[in-house]
């Protein structure tokens, strides 16, 4: 395990916030975890961090930051239809998706291009283009901080929902995820009904393949999202709001083209990006911060923005949407 005192976290968060922490622990093997308890690492302020692509640091972090950098993709089992893989938390999500595509395992190709580590993927139940990671997670393994003992949660224990799980709600901060077990399909099974993806695939009449679907997803993503090597951001800053169906019916009288998706219990999910756009904030920039011109859900650090600047700006976006539609949009990003 590497331990860095007074570490600068600028290279550890995709928003590019120039903040430090008291101590950064880079955990290279799960065998090191008991030592973290013995050192008293969790007795004062601490947080888990992956690749920092879903966090916004607003100030220096006065405690310990624990980052899993463990590696390994191991086949646990397979039958005629499925394969079960155990993946270490420190594996890059991107590398895992590539591994699946190369081995003809179906299930995560729509999630290509999402930054971050495998260990973070269950936390907000990452999703894109009609697929969520909950659809392929069999088990999440790690350590409970309060009990100082290992856990293994089956899919149903993780309380997955839209951009959320038990790791982001009831057990927030109490689970250090070390491994995720995925169940993937060995037979063709594509999810291509998402409109933008379907449109992209229709541009050519080549037959479907894992690579082709993945390439189409990448093309759609590249047309909308900033390159994080150039512009700091954390992807979608806001979650899509879920409202009662009658709220949508009322809105559609004024905005007949309001986008919505069914969300169960008679509720509907609205597109936060569309609300931001209609509230006049798409492409708006104030100093170092702005709404990305090609995707209104993304707030971008154009230069050396501070966390406070980003917070002031996202609250303004929230306020404008509230004033225009009476709907509160909530951050998807973890504001620290
Ligand atoms: C350009 C861009 C595009 C994106 N597109 C998408 C998208 O399409 N869909 C989507 O869902 N997300 C998207 N995201 C958000 C982000 O990539 C995902 O949420 C990703 O899973 C975060 O991974 P990370 O390793 O960076 O986690 P971090 O941001 O470092 O951490 C996220 C949360 O997980 C916790 N955590 C991290 N590691 C562990 C661990 N080992 N144990 C317990 N808790 C842990 C952290 O405490 C934090 O609460 C995008 C982000 C960017 C920058």
């Amino acid at each position: 395990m590497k331990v860095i005192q007074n570490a600068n976290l600028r290279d550890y968060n995709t928003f590019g916030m120039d903040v430090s922490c008291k101590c950064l622990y880079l955990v290279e093997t799960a065998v090191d975890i008991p030592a973290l308890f013995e050192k008293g690492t969790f007795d004062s302020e601490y947080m888990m961090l992956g690749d920092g692509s879903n966090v916004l640091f607003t100030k220096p972090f006065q405690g310990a930051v624990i980052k899993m950098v463990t590696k390994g993709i191991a086949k646990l089992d397979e039958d005629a239809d499925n394969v079960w893989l155990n993946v270490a938390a420190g594996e890059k999500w991107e590398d895992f998706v590539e591994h699946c595509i190369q081995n003809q395992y179906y299930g995560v190709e729509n999630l290509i291009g999402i930054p971050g580590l495998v260990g973070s993927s269950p936390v907000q139940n990452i999703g894109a283009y009609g697929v969520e990671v909950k659809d392929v997670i069999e088990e999440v393994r790690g350590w409970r901080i309060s009990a100082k003992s290992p856990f293994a949660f089956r899919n149903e224990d993780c309380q997955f929902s839209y951009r959320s799980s038990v790791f982001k709600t009831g057990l927030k901060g109490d689970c250090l995820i070390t491994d995720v077990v995925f169940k993937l399909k060995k037979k063709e099974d594509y999810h291509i009904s998402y409109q933008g993806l379907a449109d992209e695939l229709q541009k050519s009449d080549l037959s479907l393949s894992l690579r082709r679907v993945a390439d189409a997803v990448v093309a759609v993503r590249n047309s909308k999202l900033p390159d994080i090597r150039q512009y700091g951001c954390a992807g979608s800053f806001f979650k899509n709001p879920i409202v009662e169906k009658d709220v949508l019916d009322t809105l559609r009288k004024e905005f007949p083209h309001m986008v919505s998706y069914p969300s169960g219990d008679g509720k509907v999910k609205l597109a936060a990006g569309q609300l931001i756009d209609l509230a006049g904030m798409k492409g708006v920039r104030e100093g170092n911060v702005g709404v990305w011109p090609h995707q209104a859900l993304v707030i971008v650090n154009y230069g050396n923005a501070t966390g406070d600047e980003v917070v002031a700006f996202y609250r303004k976006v929230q306020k404008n949407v509230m004033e225009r539609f009476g709907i509160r949009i909530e951050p998807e990003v973890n504001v620290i």
Side-chain angles (χ1 to χ4, degrees):
M1 176 163 60
K2 279 203 188 77
V3 185
I4 307 171
Q5 303 292 341
N6 298 316
N8 187 294
L9 296 177
R10 190 177 193 141
D11 292 338
Y12 291 88
N13 72 102
T14 59
F15 243 121
M17 292 295 125
D18 191 4
V19 295
S20 59
C21 67
K22 199 168 160 198
C23 191
L24 172 65
Y25 293 89
L26 301 174
V27 181
E28 290 157 319
T29 153
V31 173
D32 287 337
I33 293 172
L36 285 173
F37 288 102
E38 282 153 28
K39 282 172 191 281
T41 312
F42 301 108
D43 296 344
S44 44
E45 208 179 351
Y46 68 88
M47 70 171 282
M48 272 61 93
L49 187 67
D51 267 353
S53 63
N54 200 28
V55 294
L56 170 64
F57 286 105
T58 57
K59 52 184 179 300
F61 188 72
Q62 304 295 350
V65 171
I66 297 100
K67 174 172 165 131
M68 299 298 297
V69 293
T70 47
K71 298 283 176 201
I73 302 178
K75 192 188 284 183
L76 296 179
D77 201 359
E78 70 182 312
D79 60 21
D81 299 320
N82 300 294
V83 60
W84 286 262
L85 301 179
N86 185 86
V87 187
E91 283 285 349
K92 295 261 182 212
W93 177 258
E94 195 63 34
D95 293 345
F96 167 57
V97 173
E98 195 51 44
H99 175 92
C100 293
I101 293 172
Q102 281 180 15
N103 287 281
Q104 297 291 306
Y105 301 150
Y106 297 78
V108 286
E109 59 282 358
N110 290 36
L111 305 179
I112 194 168
I114 300 180
L117 302 183
V118 166
S120 324
S121 64
V123 176
Q124 76 146 356
N125 179 25
I126 57 169
Y129 304 99
V131 171
E132 290 180 312
V133 77
K134 74 168 174 51
D135 305 335
V136 290
I137 287 182
E138 179 91 347
E139 199 168 273
V140 178
R141 300 173 176 174
W143 282 71
R144 288 288 296 275
I145 310 296
S146 54
K148 299 186 183 173
S149 62
F151 72 83
F153 290 166
R154 308 287 299 165
N155 181 302
E156 55 276 22
D157 304 325
C158 298
Q159 298 173 20
F160 289 121
S161 62
Y162 167 64
R163 294 298 177 276
S164 188
S165 72
V166 73
F167 309 108
K168 205 175 172 177
T169 53
L171 296 181
K172 186 172 174 152
D174 193 36
C175 296
L176 173 58
I177 296 167
T178 58
D179 298 88
V180 183
V181 178
F182 295 91
K183 179 184 174 185
L184 300 150
K185 295 204 168 119
K186 287 166 70 180
K187 295 190 175 150
E188 284 197 338
D189 183 21
Y190 300 109
H191 300 269
I192 52 168
S193 56
Y194 188 93
Q195 196 57 54
L197 177 57
D199 293 345
E200 182 63 32
L201 285 164
Q202 266 169 16
K203 288 182 184 169
S204 123
D205 51 13
L206 289 169
S207 55
L208 281 182
S209 68
L210 270 179
R211 179 62 67 194
R212 199 163 160 243
V213 172
D215 285 350
V217 170
V218 169
V220 180
R221 292 183 74 91
N222 287 347
S223 69
K224 289 188 179 171
L225 295 169
D227 180 346
I228 48 174
R229 289 166 302 184
Q230 236 178 321
Y231 300 103
C233 79
S236 302
F237 197 93
F238 297 101
K239 292 199 262 195
N240 290 323
I242 294 169
V243 299
E244 298 295 336
K245 172 81 170 51
D246 54 2
V247 173
L248 172 68
D249 295 339
T250 309
L251 284 172
R252 280 219 172 122
K253 288 181 187 145
E254 197 184 344
F255 306 99
H257 301 297
M258 185 68 76
V259 173
S260 76
Y261 311 93
S263 184
D265 295 341
K267 295 186 177 171
V268 290
K269 200 192 289 172
L270 304 180
Q274 187 184 35
L275 300 178
I276 294 167
D277 188 2
L278 291 169
M281 291 301 287
K282 189 174 182 178
V284 169
R285 176 175 173 176
E286 287 184 1
N288 291 317
V289 194
V291 173
W292 187 241
H294 309 292
Q295 169 53 281
L297 268 181
V298 178
I299 291 183
V300 176
N301 172 6
Y302 280 104
N304 293 314
T306 62
D308 286 345
E309 280 176 280
V310 180
V311 169
F313 186 79
Y314 96 67
R315 289 199 175 134
K316 183 169 180 176
V317 175
Q318 251 179 344
K319 183 166 164 278
N320 283 15
V321 169
M322 175 56 92
E323 283 173 3
R324 189 77 182 81
F325 304 104
I327 291 171
R328 186 170 167 81
I329 49 170
E330 296 292 348
E332 175 188 307
V333 172
N334 299 282
V335 181
I336 291 159

